[in-house]
Amino acid sequence: MATEVERKTDIGPPSYEQFLHPIIKENYGKWKYHNNLGPGVLEHVGETGSIFTVRVSSPRLVSTNFLNMIMDLADKYSDGYFRFTSRNNIEFLLANKDNIEPLKQEVEANGLLVGGTNNAISNIVHTQGWVHCHSAATDASGLVKSVMDELAEYFTSEKLPAKLRVAVACCLNMCGAVHASDIAILGVHRTPPKIDNQTLPNLCEIPTTVASCPNNAIRPTSIEGKTTVKVDEDKCMYCGNCYTVCPAMPLADPLNDGVSIWVGGKICNARSEPMFTKLAIPYLPNNPPRWPEVTSAVKKIVEIYADNAKPYERVGEWINRIGWPRFFDMSGIEFTKYHLDDFRHAGTTYRRSLHNRY
Amino acid sequence: MADDLNTPLLDELEKGPWPSFVKDIKSLAGKKEMAKDLLRQLEKSYEDKRGYWKHGGLVGVMGYGGGVIGRYSALPDEFPGVSHFHTLRVNQPSGWFYTTEALREITKIWDEHGSGLTNMHGSTGDLVLLGTRTEELEPTFRALTEKGWDLGGSGSDLRTPSCCVGPARCENACFDTLAINYNLTHQYQDELHRPMFNYKYKIKISGCPNDCTAAIARSDMGIIGIWKDDIQVDAKAMAEYVDSGMDIQGLVVENCPTGCIGMDGKEINIDNSNCVKCMHCINVLPKALSPGKERGAAITLGAKAPIVEGALFGSVIIPFMKIEEPFEEMHDLIERIWEFWDEHGTSRERIGEFIERVSLATFLEGIGEKPLPQMIKAPRDNPYVFYEEYFAEEGEGGK
Amino acid sequence: MAIPVEQLADEMYEIVKESAGVKKLKGGDLTKAMVAKYGDDVSRADVKAAIRVLIDSGRCVYGYFGGSSIELPHTEAAENQ
């Protein structure tokens, strides 16, 4: 292939310094404090002045048209400077306080919401789902859209007891690492891969397929003289790794795939230590395009939490205070055998004291 | 514009207050066959309640083993526009700061070479360009590098490091998260682009224990800001909080996990020797309180999602270290960790699983660090100690 | 005496070829094979350089199937035209 310019590699990302607003550069490392100017708006006060942040919702899966719209607003109101948060919110960084209101109005006119700060639900971090992933048990973007349509008022206000972090992952591989969120929505496969013995011998390398299973559940076998594989169904944990190497082992099962709901995780160290999310609802059906069972379950948990937690109490802290039996009572969620851990270190989750509430 | 799409289920997702990804993808449908077929395939997924993608493991740009995720439609005849739908991970700038000038270069490249769809951003932190054909990968890469952008990690390599907003816009940053993120990413370009590890290695960098990048839950190596000395108090601002009528007793004092805060009129008294740096009081009283002056970071290792052995949080390996340019102490630590993990880890074994398998004591010895009580919640409660030192009668060679 | 990088590359290529279709080899597997054969005469840096020679020349490609591998170029099962 003819090359006009030398091919570059290993140049790494551009320096962040060129992307910092002049006020940020001047006050870099010298911020004194911040003020909360209402939902979605922050003022950070530095030695030589303030920078104003307007935080805006985003579907994360966005087109160049969407980005160009955002950038037109940034050019108009924030001198072309903006950023994204670790939860995929958009943040406009304004030098001029007078630009806040007109920017908010134009953001809203473009169908976006201002909010997500302090005691609010921030953007839902999520994965690819049926839009792009080969092992998804559900769609992520559609779930997020459906849930946030129900919870939008908690994004644009700060009326929750504390911040509420919701995450969606579309299978157990958890690219979205939802295992430490206040509320996690997790796509689940519930049945082992179905082997297409007709196409598998031509399509897949047997040793590679066998080796792909992290639990050694796949063994070579012979059917009608052709070498194929079989799955020890008791060992399968539905990770989809075999389907990754062998397209003749689809994991998708429309009848059984669905969604589970988890609660009470947190990451920050404030007050209590970081906590994993715990199982609340083992299975809800996939019901696109709106997933009504999921949205109503999540909304109910949010509302009970909002009504009962003390200020600054995260979901997990609130449940630890009232106890899990009361959580199941209040939420009306059925407690089942699936809530009892049976994996590694399961015993550490058993009640090993008489500290129970009756 | 997109009338021929016939996607009644997805059309439902154009309604409601939250911004609609369907509406947005449709905005591309006028010019992109890829966007149209993506919607059509997604509509079929919504009808059939299953995904229709296959994983492609071999595509990439020349010389790199990371940065591209191969994806093919399982129904290429029905949806030829997404027959190939590969992803490029573009290494984001520290703290996800952009200017419109810089990002417009990327949107222009992507309109020319790909679907026009992106993730801002992916779970690891990269700017994700979603959906293109195999033959467009190399031209896209060339166009990106021409403008000063490079690809991020994927596979068994150093994944793209990411950091919080840090000193750029946060008063709590205990070190320069953006600078060290930039430094480490450049220092380890080879490890990022050419997978040589047992498995992935994610680095996340948060400037304080609020941990906005979720380093403790989502990174094999977390660099999390911390301080050693006393919380700084602005007495005047503290008095103003008291005068404002705020319930300091209920909101701050009673929420302190170690009960080390007391109020004496308008004065706050903190027993700093018993403070665990949880950040709660500083978060609630940002004008009056701030982290101490002797600042640095704690290093955690081993966080991961559940696959395969269960989810892990990171655990403290270095309770405190200074984080200062040119970050050589950090390079030294990282390289000691990688060397030991390389040598003794097994395929697909994350560093957290590795440490659990060989034991923390063996791991610490392997990387040349001393055991410290800050590394544990409590000492062991089982008596099966494998003593390495014992006495022997003279001449029998005790240790 | 240090083994030339080109020689390491050739030897590793043979290993990858033999293993094709049987086991997906990782960078670490190749490193361990060379260290086992040559001991102190080969360094990790040399092996890394040799792998880069294999990849940059197009003789081998990186694969990813739940872990990265070094393989011969071939058409994979999932590929569409």
Side-chain angles (χ1 to χ4, degrees):
Chain A
M1 193 167 63
T3 51
E4 297 121 41
V5 277
E6 198 194 340
R7 187 174 186 271
K8 294 178 193 166
T9 67
D10 301 277
I11 60 172
S15 168
Y16 56 95
E17 286 177 25
Q18 59 191 300
F19 303 141
L20 301 179
H21 193 287
I23 292 181
I24 286 184
K25 273 194 171 165
E26 277 172 32
N27 293 286
Y28 194 90
K30 296 179 221 163
W31 300 103
K32 292 197 277 197
Y33 60 88
H34 68 273
N35 287 316
N36 180 18
L37 304 184
V41 186
L42 301 168
E43 175 188 17
H44 283 81
V45 180
E47 283 183 350
T48 72
S50 290
I51 192 89
F52 299 92
T53 299
V54 175
R55 185 177 289 181
V56 172
S57 60
S58 161
R60 188 185 83 123
L61 168 59
V62 296
S63 71
T64 49
N65 290 338
F66 179 97
L67 290 174
N68 289 332
M69 175 262 286
I70 293 295
M71 290 192 280
D72 288 344
L73 295 177
D75 280 334
K76 194 166 167 188
Y77 295 108
S78 62
D79 309 310
Y81 294 94
F82 66 113
R83 71 179 289 268
F84 295 82
T85 71
S86 56
R87 299 190 76 85
N88 311 317
N89 303 283
I90 300 154
E91 289 188 337
F92 294 94
L93 301 161
L94 287 66
N96 185 352
K97 195 175 182 177
D98 296 337
N99 279 342
I100 295 173
E101 276 311 311
L103 169 62
K104 278 173 72 173
Q105 281 171 20
E106 215 169 318
V107 160
E108 281 156 16
N110 277 292
L112 306 180
L113 303 173
V114 174
T117 50
N118 295 304
N119 297 343
I121 292 186
S122 191
N123 244 339
I124 295 185
V125 292
H126 62 278
T127 52
Q128 305 287 20
W130 291 333
V131 171
H132 194 256
C133 185
H134 67 292
S135 63
T138 187
D139 189 35
S141 298
L143 262 176
V144 168
K145 164 74 176 150
S146 302
V147 169
M148 284 312 291
D149 275 342
E150 288 292 319
L151 299 178
E153 63 176 303
Y154 295 106
F155 182 86
T156 55
S157 70
E158 298 182 341
K159 61 184 178 183
L160 287 167
K163 58 178 158 183
L164 187 78
R165 299 292 179 249
V166 185
V168 170
C170 48
C171 82
L172 302 189
N173 287 311
M174 282 196 203
C175 301
V178 301
H179 57 287
S181 308
D182 291 289
I183 299 176
I185 302 167
L186 176 65
V188 285
H189 296 289
R190 299 191 301 158
T191 50
K194 280 159 291 299
I195 300 167
D196 182 347
N197 288 311
Q198 293 305 309
T199 60
L200 191 143
N202 300 324
L203 212 51
C204 312
E205 292 175 358
I206 303 293
T208 304
T209 307
V210 168
S212 73
C213 181
N215 278 358
N216 297 317
I218 302 177
R219 292 273 175 261
T221 188
S222 183
I223 292 179
E224 291 165 12
K226 281 183 174 175
T227 310
T228 177
V229 298
K230 62 178 174 187
V231 175
D232 180 345
E233 304 205 340
D234 290 342
K235 281 189 186 169
C236 176
M237 58 181 189
Y238 328 124
C239 72
N241 218 35
C242 52
Y243 177 61
T244 302
V245 300
C246 176
M249 297 180 73
L251 188 60
D253 178 355
L255 198 60
N256 284 295
D257 291 346
V259 172
S260 57
I261 311 283
W262 304 68
V263 297
K266 79 192 266 281
I267 281 153
C268 87
N269 285 274
R271 301 166 307 283
S272 54
E273 293 187 354
M275 292 187 262
F276 285 132
T277 46
K278 314 283 194 296
L279 181 63
I281 303 176
Y283 174 78
L284 292 168
N286 258 333
N287 216 343
R290 281 283 173 188
W291 284 270
E293 295 86 354
V294 178
T295 54
S296 71
V298 171
K299 193 171 186 194
K300 184 158 190 196
I301 293 169
V302 172
E303 285 172 349
I304 294 169
Y305 160 69
D307 288 347
N308 291 284
K310 292 180 179 174
Y312 294 108
E313 217 168 37
R314 298 283 294 269
V315 172
E317 295 171 309
W318 163 61
I319 296 174
N320 281 347
R321 176 167 60 79
I322 64 168
W324 285 97
R326 184 132 174 75
F327 169 78
F328 282 99
D329 273 355
M330 287 170 88
S331 61
I333 294 170
E334 187 193 358
F335 188 79
T336 69
K337 69 176 182 179
Y338 296 117
H339 291 90
L340 308 178
D341 196 354
D342 54 7
F343 199 59
R344 311 268 191 277
H345 314 300
T348 58
T349 63
Y350 301 166
R351 170 70 69 203
R352 285 171 168 168
S353 76
L354 291 192
H355 286 208
N356 258 327
R357 299 162 180 82
Y358 294 96
Chain B
M1 184 178 68
D3 300 334
D4 57 331
L5 279 172
N6 190 24
T7 52
L9 292 175
L10 290 177
D11 295 352
E12 282 299 311
L13 294 175
E14 291 190 64
K15 302 165 190 165
W18 193 251
S20 168
F21 70 99
V22 173
K23 211 183 274 180
D24 187 30
I25 300 175
K26 279 192 178 179
S27 79
L28 287 171
K31 50 182 180 181
K32 293 277 185 193
E33 206 50 43
M34 252 186 183
K36 280 190 194 174
D37 269 351
L38 178 67
L39 287 168
R40 291 185 184 120
Q41 181 173 313
L42 189 59
E43 178 76 8
K44 186 169 173 60
S45 283
Y46 274 47
E47 281 167 14
D48 299 349
K49 303 184 182 185
R50 57 159 297 179
Y52 285 106
W53 297 103
K54 293 183 291 182
H55 171 88
L58 284 182
V59 293
V61 302
M62 209 174 34
Y64 282 12
V68 176
I69 314 299
R71 201 65 80 221
Y72 298 100
S73 171
L75 305 168
D77 298 332
E78 214 171 323
F79 307 110
V82 289
S83 169
H84 297 199
F85 201 66
H86 310 315
T87 288
L88 291 122
R89 292 185 179 164
V90 180
N91 197 326
Q92 82 287 0
S94 281
W96 299 287
F97 281 94
Y98 293 94
T99 57
T100 52
E101 193 191 345
L103 191 59
R104 277 186 208 281
E105 288 173 344
I106 293 187
T107 55
K108 202 164 149 254
I109 290 168
W110 197 230
D111 280 334
E112 194 185 328
H113 292 283
S115 72
L117 286 170
T118 74
N119 287 150
M120 301 297 285
H121 290 80
S123 291
T124 306
D126 300 280
L127 190 171
V128 174
L129 301 179
L130 204 65
T132 195
R133 296 189 55 83
T134 304
E135 60 272 20
E136 287 292 344
L137 292 170
E138 188 64 26
T140 311
F141 177 64
R142 277 173 184 267
L144 287 167
T145 50
E146 267 318 292
K147 297 292 182 187
W149 300 88
D150 201 345
L151 298 189
S154 66
S156 307
D157 62 8
L158 169 64
R159 296 301 185 85
T160 313
S162 70
C163 68
C164 71
V165 70
R169 203 210 49 203
C170 181
E171 64 270 24
N172 295 327
C174 291
F175 62 92
D176 193 339
T177 55
L178 292 89
I180 191 171
N181 188 61
Y182 181 75
N183 175 281
L184 295 180
T185 311
H186 278 265
Q187 179 77 17
Y188 298 115
Q189 282 289 293
D190 195 39
E191 285 79 0
L192 199 147
H193 295 308
R194 296 174 190 81
M196 279 293 283
F197 294 155
N198 298 307
Y199 208 13
K200 61 186 94 171
Y201 193 90
K202 298 187 180 184
I203 297 180
K204 287 189 190 292
I205 302 166
S206 292
C208 83
N210 283 330
D211 194 5
C212 290
T213 64
I216 196 100
R218 301 178 65 170
S219 67
D220 296 275
M221 180 178 206
I223 304 172
I224 306 174
I226 197 92
W227 67 95
K228 285 177 91 171
D229 56 343
D230 295 356
I231 289 176
Q232 300 185 67
V233 181
D234 180 330
K236 189 165 154 273
M238 191 63 226
E240 280 167 17
Y241 276 121
V242 175
D243 289 340
S244 74
M246 187 178 179
D247 175 18
I248 306 231
Q249 182 66 29
L251 298 180
V252 181
V253 175
E254 287 170 18
N255 272 321
C256 174
T258 60
C260 73
I261 302 177
M263 289 301 294
D264 184 4
K266 292 179 184 178
E267 234 176 81
I268 189 165
N269 296 314
I270 303 172
D271 172 8
N272 279 281
S273 66
N274 200 25
C275 166
V276 289
K277 328 294 183 209
C278 88
M279 293 298 293
H280 176 74
C281 60
I282 297 174
N283 291 341
V284 181
L285 306 168
K287 288 182 186 174
L289 306 180
S290 52
K293 290 178 177 165
E294 197 185 347
R295 299 177 177 192
I299 312 302
T300 60
L301 284 186
K304 58 180 280 294
I307 294 285
V308 178
E309 296 286 322
L312 294 172
F313 278 126
S315 47
V316 173
I317 292 293
I318 307 288
F320 184 86
M321 70 189 279
K322 288 272 185 197
I323 305 290
E324 287 164 346
E325 309 241 23
F327 310 115
E328 281 167 358
E329 209 187 328
M330 183 61 73
H331 300 164
D332 174 60
L333 175 67
I334 289 174
E335 286 159 29
R336 276 185 279 141
I337 291 167
W338 283 348
E339 198 184 330
F340 190 65
W341 178 48
D342 251 4
E343 184 76 29
H344 302 282
T346 62
S347 180
R348 282 174 65 89
E349 186 175 49
R350 299 280 289 268
I351 191 96
E353 292 163 337
F354 171 64
I355 294 172
E356 294 222 326
R357 178 169 64 81
V358 302
S359 87
L360 180 58
T362 304
F363 179 76
L364 290 172
E365 240 170 47
I367 64 166
E369 292 290 331
K370 283 204 171 76
L372 296 170
Q374 284 90 346
M375 295 172 180
I376 52 162
K377 253 187 226 163
R380 73 162 73 221
D381 49 23
N382 74 69
Y384 308 115
V385 180
F386 296 98
Y387 295 99
E388 289 180 1
E389 299 91 10
Y390 48 86
F391 301 111
E393 294 297 334
E394 231 170 280
E396 286 184 13
K399 286 202 250 182
Chain C
M1 216 186 72
I3 313 295
V5 167
E6 285 295 335
Q7 185 188 330
L8 290 176
D10 289 343
E11 292 189 21
M12 289 193 297
Y13 180 70
E14 290 303 320
I15 297 175
V16 173
K17 218 162 77 179
E18 272 172 37
S19 184
V22 181
K23 183 173 188 258
K24 288 186 187 299
L25 295 174
K26 313 190 68 146
D29 297 329
L30 295 175
T31 309
K32 278 170 189 160
M34 290 298 107
V35 169
K37 185 165 179 188
Y38 294 114
D40 289 345
D41 289 340
V42 64
S43 70
R44 282 171 175 270
D46 289 343
V47 177
K48 239 171 140 176
I51 289 173
R52 196 155 170 177
V53 167
L54 283 180
I55 299 285
D56 288 351
S57 66
R59 281 200 280 171
C60 289
V61 294
Y62 287 109
Y64 178 80
F65 297 95
S68 296
S69 49
I70 293 168
E71 309 180 23
L72 299 183
H74 63 278
T75 302
E76 60 181 312
E79 188 170 325
N80 296 333
Q81 286 318 300

